[in-house]
Amino acid sequence: MSLYSEYLQEIESRKAQDLHAKPIEDGALLEEIIGHVLDAGSDHHDDCVNFLIYNTLPGTTSAAGVKADFLKKVILGEVSVKEITPAFAFELLSHMKGGPSVEVLLDLALGDDAAIAKQAADVLKTQVFLYEADTDRLAAAYKAGNATAKDILESYAKAEFFTKLPEVEDEIKVVTYIAAEGDISTDLMSPGNQAHSRADRELHGKCFISEPAQKEIRALQAQHPDKRVMLIAEKGTMGVGSSRMSGVNNCALWTGKQASPYVPFVNIAPIVAGTNGISPIFLTTVGVTGGIGIDLKNWVKKQGPDGKPILNNDGSPILEEKYSVATGTVMKIDVKGKKLCSEDGSEEFADIAASFTPQKVEFMKAGGSYAIEFGKKLQNVAAATLGKEAKSPYAPSKELSHTGQGLTAVEKIFNNNAVGVAEGTVLHAGSDVRVKVNIVGSQDTTGPMTVQELEAMAATVISPSVDGAYQSGCHTASVWDKKAQANTPKLMAFMNKFGLITARDPKGVYHSMTDVIHKVLNDLTVDDRWIIIGGDSHTRMSKGVAFGADSGTVALALATGEATMPIPESVKVTFKGKMGDHMDFRDVVHATQAQMLHQFGENVFQGRIIEVHIGTLLADQAFTFTDWTAEMKAKASICISNDETLIESLEIAKHRIQVMIDKGMDNDAQMLKGLIAKADKRIAEIKSGEVPALKPDDNAKYFAEVVVDLDEIDEPMIADPDVQNIDASKRYTHDTIRPISYYEAKKKVDLGFVGSCMVHKGDMNIIAQMFRNLEQQNGKVEFKAPLVVAPPTYNIVDELKEEGDWEILQKYAGFEFDDSAPKSAARTKYDNILYLERPGCNLCMGNQEKAEKGDTVMATSTRLFQGRVVEDSDEKKGESLLASTPVVVLSTILGRTPTLDEYKNAVKGINLTKFSPPHGQMAGRA
């Protein structure tokens, strides 16, 4: 059967799902389609012309290469198709975004036919996705005296690809749609259990919110054809959680604008809003598409006669509505005045200047942030080739420097990595800066979209300036089903060829890994002054500063080795008192959030850097804190360690990287070997005193300072989704932190989960020691609820086997993963046994397996959003309570929450994570 016949069959099967033909990325298929295009008598001629014009993916897909070559032949008169004139062929090339299309345009522009060369040059002047090979061709032709090359370079040097674009409209009419009340997780827009379809944008769009919501949005659009739908998180923050790019893609698909008439289901420029604004990473992703994110502030704290907030019975402020954004409300965005107004403009509801900074307006004008990044680089290259000064039309980078003010840790890192900043310039928080990115991580459910983004921006190889990059397989570790089998090997092959270290070897030499990506990146980060970008909100390293990012920003970092972002403000977190022997560090993490909220009455962490003075806690244990900062809604976090601790953490990282090398995971560029050399260099710098461990200056300025009193933490702390709260906006947040005694040992627990990125080897040791304790006390271990355990990495499993703790876990395991025969179907029912699962994200991700509907789950993971780990049943709401490893294990043995005495007895004699706050001043000059 021909590829085209198979494509027609696929089209018929998609019709049953109410889907159009899938966009074409395979060059061999397009070759067959072009055969019908050239045969005017073919029964398939008309359909194939439409497939070629409107349904072929651009960039560096193999189909894009075939299409570009065909259009070149049309322009040169080598083939003739009545539906595609030479002028239309140029139009189509202009929408193909680089790669083969730019190569063809350069061939034509630098060719001998003057008329064709001029037309090609006119199209090239609108393009920005040029790479070194492209600009080198132009430079060589210019030096050889080619007038067309000079003309193109002069246009680039003036940045006409940007200056000649239409300006952003002065006002935008919107009609509101409340997507949900309270914080909106990106799971609402792009559910984790639909991760397999994210690269198929039309199919994935069907999981957006709900079918009724989709119908309501379409009805609003039909009722208000001259207005754009603004999606709103009422009384909450928009876009918390992971899967930002697919979430924004779906928002744009349903409410945005088509990016190109010749590229199906790729929409841009959604308008999203939240009472408490937009989650930082989600807002960055909105900028990737040239969209608008608005902080509504439409609910405010009700104040008493004394000017203080009036509190309700649970101690939280009572809110009152400042203005209504109920679904169907028509408003006007005054772009020039940067105000959100009533439909007629007579009332001003909110100052939205933050939504229309000069940089964000540029993203809107250019159709997204990538075009700005590439445009700036292209202008500089062209100007340098011509020997001219580049007069930038872009808004100047914001450089804030305060004389006499020291630097926070994040300010030091950004200054260390800044690109394009005049020597001697010291930048403080609020500055916009382009920075070198050292480590980049891509995970497997957003990875296919990162591939699409790389193809769309015509990138073919990783930037040589990136120190380390890794493609994981952890988010689809639970079940090796047909969806994973179709997506994962293809993803790994692309990323391996692109230059990343990959969890799965396309050549099949080394054993496939499903290690949790954040754990791997934490080991690959061998310098505390580095910047890390990763395709997951839990990219939160305990060395350097790490930012979870959308798949597009990951692609940009891989392709260019750079990122652009403002330097965030910092909140300093220090500790006092002594941690009790019976407490786990996870309890310190939860207590930090609870004490911060109590001290300030609001979340001062949101959108900022948490600079935590961790002192003597090794990187693995410290990661528990940094990982949770995503749930604190912080932009990132930085651990301030002492010299000896950092050295020990780097030695551990070196050992683990060497294990990866020994397994055969290094690439031709010997990226992993290079990281070990860089770790050795950093250790030598610390030991010599030349460059001590990163510390802030004594006179650094912070937005706020939080002091956590360890003496106040006497019992395990639980993050509770509070599913029965009468105020829907307070459900499924991570702000309800309760002591174990709150539950009076009466709360039934249906399933326990120890795993995800929040645990480390010490947690596995704790389980083993608890089992031994219980054996001594009771003669055996029995479970009254299922316990699922998923170690984060294979090296942890190997180390546990060597040291003997894996043996006792195996003893009580009713199921143990087997990589030679991985599960091919998701588990739907659980017995009261221990399940030893494959390393990876497992239940925390919720995309392959979940708890049974309506279960109460006690988990070490990070997600308690509705439907993530457990869905509601018809009879009961599912709820995921988050706690330490010993609490989870004991809850499954008891089948309920324990008393404090039961907990203390269970952990007696066990070496839980020890933590002592650093003594004396941690600040310095490093």
Side-chain angles (χ1 to χ4, degrees):
M1 184 183 290
S2 72
L3 292 173
Y4 182 60
S5 298
E6 291 177 3
Y7 188 55
L8 293 179
Q9 283 190 357
E10 181 187 68
I11 290 172
E12 288 303 311
S13 67
R14 287 173 71 87
K15 281 181 181 177
Q17 298 173 273
D18 193 27
L19 296 169
H20 296 84
K22 194 174 181 180
I24 298 163
E25 59 182 346
D26 180 47
L29 169 60
L30 196 64
E31 292 276 15
E32 290 189 21
I33 287 171
I34 287 173
H36 291 289
V37 170
L38 292 173
D39 181 3
S42 169
D43 293 340
H44 300 286
H45 172 83
D46 291 349
D47 285 341
C48 285
V49 168
N50 283 330
F51 290 145
L52 174 65
I53 294 172
Y54 298 106
N55 212 46
T56 303
L57 289 177
T60 56
T61 63
S62 60
V66 171
K67 181 174 180 178
D69 286 341
F70 177 75
L71 295 174
K72 179 182 179 181
K73 291 175 182 176
V74 170
I75 290 166
L76 293 175
E78 296 173 9
V79 297
S80 178
V81 181
K82 65 181 175 62
E83 295 92 346
I84 305 176
T85 64
F88 188 38
F90 273 122
E91 164 76 2
L92 292 174
L93 284 167
S94 75
H95 285 258
M96 290 181 65
K97 296 182 71 175
S101 61
V102 165
E103 185 178 352
V104 162
L105 287 166
L106 284 169
D107 290 344
L108 298 171
L110 303 178
D112 297 328
D113 189 311
I116 289 176
K118 184 182 185 309
Q119 292 176 79
D122 287 344
V123 175
L124 273 170
K125 290 174 186 177
T126 67
Q127 304 298 297
V128 294
F129 293 103
L130 276 72
Y131 287 83
E132 192 172 293
D134 305 316
T135 53
D136 283 351
R137 281 188 71 185
L138 278 172
Y142 163 68
K143 289 169 185 172
N146 186 294
T148 304
K150 181 182 179 183
D151 181 42
I152 296 167
L153 287 167
E154 286 180 341
S155 176
Y156 288 161
K158 297 173 186 173
E160 289 181 340
F161 43 72
F162 175 72
T163 60
K164 291 191 174 183
L165 291 172
E167 297 296 330
V168 176
E169 55 264 63
D170 289 343
E171 64 178 41
I172 301 168
K173 294 178 181 178
V174 297
V175 57
T176 62
Y177 182 78
I178 294 179
E181 187 174 346
D183 287 354
I184 290 185
S185 160
T186 41
D187 255 19
L188 186 72
M189 307 162 199
S190 173
N193 61 5
Q194 299 299 310
H196 63 277
S197 67
R198 284 172 180 159
D200 184 348
R201 295 197 185 200
E202 184 189 18
L203 173 59
H204 195 65
K206 288 187 169 295
C207 70
F208 180 65
I209 308 180
S210 65
E211 283 190 30
Q214 293 166 15
K215 290 176 182 176
E216 290 164 0
I217 289 170
R218 287 292 180 248
L220 281 174
Q221 290 167 331
Q223 187 181 349
H224 302 276
D226 61 331
K227 300 174 184 70
R228 292 165 65 183
V229 172
M230 179 165 69
L231 296 168
I232 293 173
E234 174 75 318
K235 295 173 75 175
T237 302
M238 171 66 81
V240 300
S242 52
S243 312
R244 284 81 41 184
M245 194 76 236
S246 53
V248 170
N249 283 345
N250 272 350
C251 290
L253 187 65
W254 284 96
T255 66
K257 302 183 289 188
Q258 190 173 4
S260 164
Y262 311 114
V263 183
F265 311 115
V266 177
N267 283 17
I268 59 172
I271 302 175
V272 296
T275 292
N276 299 326
I278 319 294
S279 173
I281 308 172
F282 196 76
L283 186 59
T284 299
T285 317
V286 170
V288 166
T289 68
I292 301 171
I294 295 176
D295 187 355
L296 294 170
K297 298 177 183 174
N298 59 312
W299 288 84
V300 296
K301 294 175 185 175
K302 189 172 184 179
Q303 294 186 338
D306 58 358
K308 294 181 179 179
I310 300 173
L311 305 180
N312 62 19
N313 55 8
D314 68 357
S316 60
I318 294 174
L319 301 178
E320 57 183 355
E321 192 176 47
K322 187 178 174 185
Y323 62 95
S324 174
V325 292
T327 293
T329 303
V330 175
M331 295 177 164
K332 181 175 73 174
I333 296 174
D334 178 357
V335 175
K336 272 196 167 182
K338 301 179 181 179
K339 304 286 184 184
L340 181 64
C341 306
S342 59
E343 182 179 12
D344 60 6
S346 60
E347 290 183 82
E348 289 184 1
F349 296 132
D351 182 331
I352 53 174
S355 303
F356 292 94
T357 64
Q359 287 79 14
K360 289 178 182 177
V361 171
E362 287 174 350
F363 297 164
M364 296 170 202
K365 178 178 175 177
S369 57
Y370 300 163
I372 298 299
E373 295 297 321
F374 276 83
K376 288 178 178 178
K377 186 174 182 180
L378 183 56
Q379 183 189 21
N380 289 333
V381 169
T385 302
L386 295 170
K388 295 182 176 180
E389 182 184 351
K391 296 181 179 178
S392 176
Y394 300 104
S397 295
K398 192 176 179 183
E399 297 185 358
L400 296 179
S401 186
H402 306 295
T403 304
Q405 180 178 311
L407 296 173
T408 63
V410 73
E411 289 168 341
K412 286 192 173 187
I413 293 175
F414 269 66
N415 277 277
N416 187 61
N417 284 43
V419 176
V421 175
E423 191 174 347
T425 304
V426 177
L427 300 175
H428 286 98
S431 301
D432 272 301
V433 62
R434 190 158 47 102
V435 291
K436 170 180 161 53
V437 175
N438 304 95
I439 299 289
V440 185
S442 171
Q443 51 98 334
D444 41 322
T445 54
T446 60
M449 292 189 300
T450 299
V451 170
Q452 285 187 335
E453 300 289 345
L454 288 168
E455 288 176 331
M457 62 177 70
T460 57
V461 65
I462 192 170
S463 168
S465 68
V466 173
D467 295 288
Y470 181 71
Q471 171 63 58
S472 82
C474 56
H475 284 60
T476 51
S478 301
V479 184
W480 189 237
D481 57 14
K482 289 182 179 178
K483 294 168 184 175
Q485 291 170 37
N487 291 335
T488 304
K490 180 180 173 184
L491 168 66
M492 295 294 172
F494 180 96
M495 289 302 198
N496 192 278
K497 183 180 178 183
F498 197 83
L500 284 75
I501 303 299
T502 52
R504 176 176 288 271
D505 183 6
K507 302 180 185 70
V509 176
Y510 60 79
H511 178 72
S512 295
M513 303 286 120
T514 53
D515 293 348
V516 175
I517 182 172
H518 329 303
K519 293 295 190 183
V520 178
L521 295 183
N522 202 39
D523 288 334
L524 298 187
T525 302
V526 295
D527 195 314
D528 50 331
R529 302 158 301 179
W530 276 4
I531 292 176
I532 304 95
I533 295 287
D536 194 286
S537 58
H538 292 99
T539 304
R540 308 264 167 162
M541 303 305 100
S542 52
K543 303 185 290 288
V545 63
F547 298 95
D550 60 275
S551 56
T553 301
V554 170
L556 194 67
L558 287 170
T560 67
E562 297 178 0
T564 300
M565 62 185 90
I567 303 177
E569 294 178 298
S570 294
V571 176
K572 183 178 183 179
V573 174
T574 55
F575 303 89
K576 68 177 182 177
K578 184 178 183 297
M579 185 174 170
D581 289 341
H582 62 288
M583 301 308 299
D584 187 88
F585 190 68
R586 178 70 182 254
D587 302 313
V588 175
V589 172
H590 285 173
T592 298
Q593 190 159 353
Q595 290 189 25
M596 175 274 296
L597 291 169
H598 178 73
Q599 289 172 33
F600 292 92
E602 61 183 8
N603 188 356
V604 296
F605 292 150
Q606 183 164 343
R608 300 183 176 94
I609 301 290
I610 300 177
E611 183 186 284
V612 55
H613 289 244
I614 216 83
T616 59
L617 210 58
L618 290 171
D620 275 3
Q621 289 79 22
F623 188 82
T624 305
F625 190 101
T626 60
D627 204 23
W628 184 257
T629 59
E631 299 356 297
M632 296 176 183
K633 299 181 184 176
K635 196 168 182 68
S637 61
I638 295 178
C639 289
I640 305 300
S641 300
N642 64 28
D643 289 352
E644 294 75 18
T645 302
L646 180 57
I647 289 171
E648 190 175 349
S649 292
L650 291 176
E651 291 289 359
I652 293 170
K654 278 175 55 185
H655 169 74
R656 290 178 178 166
I657 295 170
Q658 186 61 52
V659 169
M660 295 173 74
I661 294 172
D662 294 343
K663 288 178 178 176
M665 296 180 71
D666 212 350
N667 58 15
D668 292 341
Q670 294 190 309
M671 181 179 280
L672 296 176
K673 184 178 179 181
L675 287 171
I676 289 181
K678 286 163 186 172
D680 284 334
K681 180 176 181 292
R682 184 70 188 109
I683 290 168
E685 289 175 342
I686 300 167
K687 285 183 175 179
S688 69
E690 180 187 353
V691 186
L694 176 72
K695 296 174 180 62
D697 290 331
D698 294 335
N699 56 341
K701 184 178 179 181
Y702 296 90
F703 176 82
E705 296 192 27
V706 176
V707 179
V708 180
D709 190 345
L710 298 174
D711 290 335
E712 291 184 9
I713 312 169
D714 188 50
E715 56 180 303
M717 310 292 284
I718 310 291
D720 193 318
D722 204 12
V723 299
Q724 302 299 338
N725 195 308
I726 194 169
D727 185 345
S729 70
K730 293 179 181 176
R731 301 173 198 158
Y732 306 106
T733 75
H734 290 79
D735 292 343
T736 302
I737 309 291
R738 290 169 170 157
I740 197 74
S741 58
Y742 173 88
Y743 303 96
E744 299 179 332
K746 295 177 182 176
K747 190 169 186 66
K748 183 174 181 288
V749 174
D750 300 302
L751 183 142
F753 171 53
V754 176
S756 88
C757 45
M758 285 293 283
V759 299
H760 50 85
K761 180 183 171 184
D763 292 273
M764 302 298 116
N765 299 137
I766 288 170
I767 300 172
Q769 291 176 76
M770 288 183 74
F771 285 177
R772 292 189 184 102
N773 279 2
L774 290 163
E775 275 188 339
Q776 286 184 346
Q777 294 168 16
N778 307 319
K780 59 181 177 178
V781 178
E782 292 183 330
F783 297 93
K784 292 185 179 176
L787 175 61
V788 179
V789 174
T793 63
Y794 279 89
N795 64 4
I796 287 175
V797 175
D798 292 341
E799 290 168 15
L800 292 171
K801 287 178 178 178
E802 289 175 13
E803 296 163 10
D805 276 355
W806 191 256
E807 186 177 343
I808 193 165
L809 298 183
Q810 286 177 309
K811 179 179 178 180
Y812 289 104
F815 169 88
E816 182 179 355
F817 77 92
D818 180 0
D819 280 340
S820 65
K823 282 187 298 181
S824 59
R827 185 181 289 113
T828 56
K829 293 286 182 183
Y830 295 82
D831 297 319
N832 291 343
I833 59 172
L834 168 64
Y835 295 86
L836 275 183
E837 289 287 359
R838 203 178 191 184
C841 299
N842 202 275
L843 283 169
C844 182
M845 182 62 192
N847 65 316
Q848 292 184 315
E849 289 192 299
K850 294 182 184 291
E852 293 185 48
K853 289 184 178 181
D855 272 1
T856 292
V857 180
M858 188 74 77
T860 61
S861 61
T862 58
R863 296 303 195 208
L864 49 67
F865 302 128
Q866 186 174 22
R868 178 68 176 235
V869 173
V870 56
E871 294 177 346
D872 298 342
S873 68
D874 293 337
E875 299 79 29
K876 180 180 175 295
K877 286 182 179 291
E879 51 186 336
S880 178
L881 286 76
L882 308 182
S884 67
T885 292
V887 168
V888 174
V889 173
L890 187 56
S891 295
T892 60
I893 289 167
L894 298 172
R896 57 168 171 80
T897 52
T899 66
L900 183 56
D901 285 341
E902 286 172 330
Y903 169 81
K904 286 183 175 180
N905 285 332
V907 300
K908 190 176 292 182
I910 294 179
N911 184 25
L912 298 176
T913 306
K914 290 294 183 289
F915 170 61
S916 298
H919 297 291
Q921 272 294 342
M922 286 294 296
R925 300 300 306 177

